[in-house]
Amino acid sequence: MNNRNNLSAVSALLLVAALALPTGNAAAQDATSVAGTYTPVVATSFGDNPRGQLILGSDGHYSLNLARATLPKITAGARGKGTAEENKAIVGGSIFHYGKYTVDAKEKTITFNVEASTFPNWDGATFKRPFKVSGDQLTYTDNAPSGGGGPHDVVWKRVK
């Protein structure tokens, strides 16, 4: 085979391989491409201007924390000495969990496998969420919000 035939064969092979790859959002929505650090934009259960961070590691580990824009200070100044009202407001206004996550680009879902949470009922739970990525925003539908209520979208913006 001469060089021209080799070049033609390689070009044809590359074209076939390129056509077999996913395109558009499906290609963008995998664990590697969503990996990063995000801040909350919209989290209905946590009111206006929620605070927090979602870290999606390229290794499949995640950490998520969300809180209302303001939480009450504990008057006594020690974590273990909050009043019933202070503790209720803090627990109701914040959530943290971590574990492992997977992305299914075909189904357009992100699955959180919770190892531990500040809401202990979620320890060991698995949550599969429909999601999409648009520019720097990752949005998923929370169908089991920690604060109760119905399903709603949670919107995160990638930190640059």
Side-chain angles (χ1 to χ4, degrees):
M1 213 181 209
N2 65 32
N3 284 342
R4 187 175 189 155
N5 287 343
N6 282 342
L7 184 58
S8 294
V10 169
S11 295
L13 187 60
L14 288 174
L15 177 61
V16 169
L19 291 173
L21 292 174
T23 59
N25 278 347
Q29 295 180 356
D30 63 19
T32 304
S33 64
V34 299
T37 302
Y38 298 81
T39 58
V41 176
V42 176
T44 305
S45 296
F46 297 92
D48 295 333
N49 303 311
R51 299 178 293 156
Q53 193 172 61
L54 170 63
I55 300 171
L56 299 172
S58 58
D59 63 355
H61 288 86
Y62 82 92
S63 176
L64 181 151
N65 63 75
L66 270 171
R68 289 196 173 111
T70 58
L71 294 171
K73 302 281 186 197
I74 295 177
T75 306
R79 286 176 38 93
K81 294 186 178 181
T83 66
E85 295 80 25
E86 291 167 340
N87 290 336
K88 182 178 180 181
I90 292 166
V91 168
S94 62
I95 188 73
F96 170 80
H97 55 92
Y98 70 90
K100 295 182 180 177
Y101 78 100
T102 56
V103 171
D104 186 323
K106 187 175 180 181
E107 289 186 18
K108 296 180 181 167
T109 58
I110 186 167
T111 300
F112 296 104
N113 297 295
V114 180
E115 291 181 25
S117 173
T118 54
F119 181 50
N121 300 34
W122 285 3
D123 289 2
T126 298
F127 298 110
K128 189 175 190 176
R129 311 277 194 240
F131 88 108
K132 64 184 175 185
V133 173
S134 179
D136 286 336
Q137 287 195 340
L138 181 147
T139 302
Y140 61 79
T141 302
D142 187 354
N143 49 19
S146 61
H152 61 271
D153 285 347
V154 180
V155 181
W156 298 88
K157 183 174 177 152
R158 188 184 297 268
V159 175
K160 293 186 178 193

